[in-house]
Amino acid sequence: MSSFDYVVLAVGFGLLLLGAFSGYALFARALKLSDKFGDETNVGTLWGLFLIGLSGGLLLTWLSLP
């Protein structure tokens, strides 16, 4: 593997970790029952990080491995 492949692999693992942490934050937020409506700040950002982190991380990891 070339050094570029190692960089792509490291970025892929970083995106996977970012997606996993945002997924954990979404899960923890779902378990916390709040009766307040309109308390949806940053949920869209967490979903975006989750989807982009997992899909992009898996794609980059798959592309960098031989």
Side-chain angles (χ1 to χ4, degrees):
M1 274 193 348
S2 67
S3 59
F4 179 73
D5 289 335
Y6 284 119
V7 170
V8 172
L9 184 65
V11 171
F13 278 137
L15 280 174
L16 279 174
L17 283 175
L18 182 67
F21 285 141
S22 63
Y24 174 75
L26 282 169
F27 183 69
R29 185 175 175 90
L31 288 180
K32 198 172 28 171
L33 297 174
S34 68
D35 294 334
K36 293 188 292 185
F37 291 107
D39 189 27
E40 300 297 322
T41 55
N42 299 328
V43 174
T45 304
L46 285 174
W47 275 109
L49 285 173
F50 177 70
L51 293 175
I52 291 172
L54 285 184
S55 62
L58 286 174
L59 177 69
L60 289 178
T61 303
W62 178 70
L63 288 175
S64 66
L65 293 176

